[in-house]
Amino acid sequence: MLLDGDEWQSYFRTFKRSAFRLEAHQVYTMPGEVESLRSFLAGEPLPDGFNADWHKTIAVHAASGRTMTRAKVVRLPLTDYSRYLFDWCIPGNVAAGEDYRILDLTGRTIDLPEQDFWLFDESTVVHMNYRQDGTQISRELIENPDLSKYLRWRDLAISGSVPFGEWNSART
């Protein structure tokens, strides 16, 4: 089942314990980020209140004891998009309470899919489907997923990664 609009957004309002995302791609081409990515690449400063609504969502979940964790796969050298994430996006997410982790696969492999997904409450799986250029095609609720596979991938991604702050301070 494909998810869009409020139906998709409801997953971020209603999860009870945890939300985990595996970000496998190096480039995402999201219409809502075109201008901010352009500004970043032009060397402009981070705008005041950047991603404030998303940061509020993260903070509300953190305050209520619900966890949001993300594992971002990277391969060096970083793409322009990854540099944008690391400089403009991820620090605010971390400050709001998200456990954002970096899984550096430069020169190594781990048995993970190339498929981005969200795993809500260890029971609901949503695939994030993208074209090769990073353009999102769809969000797909997976009916009757093999949860053991997604839990194994989550655990592999977490155990093979480091917190964003640790990884980012080592790269600068």
Side-chain angles (χ1 to χ4, degrees), residues 71-139:
K72 168 74 177 131
V73 171
V74 297
R75 291 177 182 88
L76 298 177
L78 293 177
T79 64
D80 286 344
Y81 186 85
S82 290
R83 290 187 311 103
Y84 160 74
L85 281 180
F86 289 9
D87 291 349
W88 276 28
C89 302
I90 298 173
N93 290 15
V94 171
E98 184 174 9
D99 179 13
Y100 214 115
R101 305 181 66 79
I102 304 303
L103 179 57
D104 189 341
L105 294 184
T106 306
R108 67 184 182 124
T109 59
I110 294 179
D111 183 26
L112 290 173
E114 293 291 321
Q115 174 69 56
D116 283 35
F117 66 88
W118 279 98
L119 175 62
F120 296 97
D121 293 327
E122 300 184 337
S123 62
T124 302
V125 176
V126 177
H127 280 189
M128 308 296 287
N129 300 313
Y130 297 91
R131 292 186 181 95
Q132 286 293 90
D133 71 353
T135 303
Q136 189 173 72
I137 299 167
S138 64
R139 293 172 292 268

Side-chain angles (χ1 to χ4, degrees), residues 17-35:
R17 295 175 309 283
S18 64
F20 169 81
R21 168 125 185 226
L22 176 67
E23 289 185 347
H25 298 281
Q26 302 305 292
V27 174
Y28 296 91
T29 308
M30 304 301 292
E33 294 178 334
V34 169
E35 283 304 311

